[in-house]
Amino acid sequence: MGKEYNGSPKPHQLNMRRKRITYILGVSCLCVIFYALGAWQGRSVPPSGTQFSSRVGCDDTPASKGDSDSPSSSDSPLVSDTLDFESHHQLVINTSEQAETFPPCDMKYSEYTPCNDRQRGRQFDRDMLKYRERHCPTKDELLRCLIPAPDHYKAPFKWPQSRDYVWIGNIPHKELSIEKANQNWIQVEGDRFRFPGGGTMFPRGADAYIDDIAALIPLKDGSIRTALDTGCGVASWGAYLLKRDIIAMSFAPRDTHEAQVWFALERGVPAMINVLGSQRLPYPARAFDMAHCSRCLIPWSKYDGMYLMEVDRVLRPGGYWILSGPPINWKKYWRGWERTQEDLKQEQDSIEDVAAQLCWKKVVEKGDLAIWQKPLNHNNCVDRNICSSGNADAGWYKDMETCVTPLPETRDAEEVAGGALKKWPERAFSVPPRISSGSVPGVTAKTFEEDNKMWKGRVDYYKRLVGKLSQGMYRNVMDMNAHLGGFAAAVVKYPVWVMNVVPMGTELPDTLGVIKERGFIGTYQDWCEAFSTYPRTYDLIHAGGVFSAYQDKCDIRYILLEMDRILRPEGTVIFRDVVEVLVKVKSIADGMRWQSKIVDHETGPFYTEKILVATKNYWTADSNQKAL
């Protein structure tokens, strides 16, 4: 039943209404009072927030004493009319670094390779090619300027067109097109070089030469992924292996054959300046599935077979060594090589003797090719001159030895020393044997999987920051602190290759062996020194934690200047580090004609690590003179 209405309200109902009206009036009066008070305070707000910043210590720079408009701190109110939503961090930056700008170097340094400088090399012994090894400038010799590009520099051709074409203006050296004209290395066509894929020992072209090798050993089933090309020329062998999913580390010295390695890198083919001299190659033990020499002019039989022993050190168990050129097939070519039959026979016999010491098995000698295979283990290799001590992976300024690098122990003759690898491409994401065996402190199969997942997310984020990564605009990529190779694995689907660098001279662990087992290439490098490459050879550089690792080791300005040297105009650098370090890096990069911006970590703004994305401006020696 509905409630009945009995006429006028009762006394207690009237009292309740009066109290409610009084409460509403009281709250309204308070609102009006506080609004008026806020409006009155707003009239005294200063025109900028500098006084407030000074009061709370956000800005350590004091106001000028001669500035009559600057009120004293005692008069400054603790409010600001300008809301600033940017992140603020308590970091004092050296004002001289912040203001420093770096001028262009003289044009004579346009092709400067600091640690492989021929002028400096002449001061060293020619024995064992020591004068062509790394000899870096002293601290007083370091350049504090930007290496200029030549006047007519253009962005390189995109891959795969770059395999066959290079702009002459980018590498103005025609010597090889004349000296090697009959060998089809390189040809001049208008304003560009063309690379027809020829070579001294493959007149039918590198493709046909590789097909000849594939008829003798398995190049197509994914069991061979990484290769080493010693004395590579313009790296046509490595260039044509890429379509077979085999990646080669090609190297040659900076010698009288101008710009061999430079041409390789300009073509988008992995390469670095290096030589088999007196020191080990900058790679760990068991790093490559295959090694190759095509008339590379390396004296394999000299120095008690030391160079073959170094190849053995970096060759994986079961890996192959391929030799073409002298002395192979000497009975056919001895007259053209202008050597006696006795001399050539003795050289081949010496190579066979060293191979036997290494326990290598000769797979085949057919036509111009000879191929040996390293054993899976040393179980049946007795009475060998095995190296008794030392780190087999040590490859940074470490002298070579005339002894056989020992392999990890195995239980039976069929077991692969150090662990068997999956075939490519499964190999890239499978747990490497060095991790599953516990050889890398602090890294387990679980952390390896987590690292892969993390890098997948990071690269997805990078695609949004740097659109060119997914658009095929980059080809040559360097990871300055590669750790487990997660970045290289995450970009494997793109038309890029990554030079994975494991830093030396820091507390960072040696993980290059893991990277090699994953099927990627890389090298050791101390970033307090210059990298063994020509200027303008990388499109994208990734630098995660590099500057935190080196900030107490050397002046980071010289690391940034080295990055500028090897980065192509309009190339990009992705830095990852704590914000204090990135702010300092940015202040230096701004004086290097780089455009840069600090952005949040991929997980959000509350993570202590941030990202700095920087792009090198396009400029040449000619444009700089016009600007002046």
Side-chain angles (χ1 to χ4, degrees), residues 60-362:
D60 292 333
T61 306
S64 174
K65 293 181 180 180
D67 187 355
S68 60
D69 294 332
S70 299
S72 65
S73 59
S74 61
D75 296 332
S76 302
L78 297 180
V79 292
S80 173
D81 63 342
T82 303
L83 296 179
D84 182 2
F85 294 97
E86 295 295 324
S87 299
H88 295 281
H89 308 275
Q90 301 301 317
L91 175 67
V92 178
I93 302 173
N94 187 303
T95 54
S96 62
E97 289 183 351
Q98 191 174 21
E100 182 175 7
T101 58
F102 298 89
C105 303
D106 189 278
M107 189 59 194
K108 69 180 180 181
Y109 292 107
S110 181
E111 302 179 8
Y112 186 46
T113 53
C115 294
N116 305 94
D117 183 61
R118 286 180 298 177
Q119 291 294 114
R120 184 177 297 105
R122 292 191 180 109
Q123 304 170 22
F124 296 89
D125 194 348
R126 299 181 70 85
D127 180 49
M128 297 183 70
L129 300 179
K130 292 177 182 177
Y131 73 109
R132 287 182 176 165
E133 294 181 323
R134 284 176 60 88
H135 302 290
C136 297
T138 64
K139 199 170 184 180
D140 295 336
E141 295 175 307
L142 295 174
L143 296 180
R144 207 180 182 91
C145 54
L146 307 175
I147 301 298
D151 294 347
H152 303 292
Y153 181 86
K154 299 180 183 179
F157 292 96
K158 287 178 60 176
W159 182 265
Q161 190 181 12
S162 65
R163 187 194 69 179
D164 302 326
Y165 292 99
V166 165
W167 297 114
I168 292 176
N170 290 7
I171 307 180
H173 289 284
K174 298 183 180 181
E175 295 90 340
L176 282 175
S177 66
I178 300 169
E179 185 175 344
K180 302 290 184 180
N182 63 333
Q183 296 172 13
N184 225 21
W185 277 28
I186 180 172
Q187 299 172 353
V188 176
E189 293 184 357
D191 59 354
R192 64 193 69 183
F193 291 114
R194 187 170 77 87
F195 297 84
T200 308
M201 292 307 300
F202 30 95
R204 295 181 294 122
D207 225 9
Y209 175 80
I210 294 171
D211 285 340
D212 292 341
I213 296 173
L216 305 174
I217 59 175
L219 294 186
K220 300 178 181 179
D221 66 354
S223 59
I224 295 176
R225 163 62 182 173
T226 57
L228 181 69
D229 193 11
T230 57
C232 65
V234 295
S236 288
W237 187 72
Y240 282 87
L241 277 174
L242 287 167
K243 70 179 186 180
R244 296 166 169 85
D245 274 341
I246 298 174
I247 187 166
M249 174 71 85
S250 302
F251 74 81
R254 179 161 188 176
D255 59 7
T256 53
H257 289 167
E258 281 286 357
Q260 294 179 91
V261 167
W262 203 359
F263 278 127
L265 288 160
E266 192 74 4
R267 297 174 69 185
V269 179
M272 62 186 297
I273 301 172
N274 211 339
V275 65
L276 272 170
S278 66
Q279 296 177 342
R280 284 181 174 181
L281 297 171
Y283 318 122
R286 311 191 310 276
F288 298 96
D289 306 313
M290 174 171 63
H292 171 259
C293 164
S294 173
R295 199 171 186 179
C296 59
L297 305 180
I298 294 172
W300 298 111
S301 60
K302 288 189 176 181
Y303 312 115
D304 297 322
M306 186 170 65
Y307 293 151
L308 273 179
M309 293 177 181
E310 175 62 5
V311 170
D312 178 78
R313 183 185 73 87
V314 300
L315 199 60
R316 279 196 54 75
Y320 298 93
W321 183 58
I322 303 167
L323 177 63
S324 65
I328 304 304
N329 207 359
W330 57 267
K331 293 179 181 179
K332 177 179 179 181
Y333 295 114
W334 68 274
R335 288 188 179 87
W337 291 338
E338 298 180 352
R339 293 174 61 184
T340 66
Q341 297 184 66
E342 293 76 12
D343 181 35
L344 288 162
K345 182 180 184 304
Q346 182 181 7
E347 182 182 352
Q348 180 151 358
D349 289 345
S350 298
I351 290 174
E352 301 282 6
D353 288 343
V354 177
Q357 292 178 45
L358 296 169
C359 224
W360 289 4
K361 175 185 176 183
K362 193 167 190 179

Side-chain angles (χ1 to χ4, degrees), residues 9-28:
K10 296 180 181 180
H12 75 274
Q13 292 176 324
L14 292 174
N15 290 334
M16 289 294 295
R17 286 183 181 179
R18 291 191 192 101
K19 289 180 180 180
R20 189 180 299 115
I21 292 172
T22 302
Y23 175 78
I24 293 172
L25 289 174
V27 171
S28 300

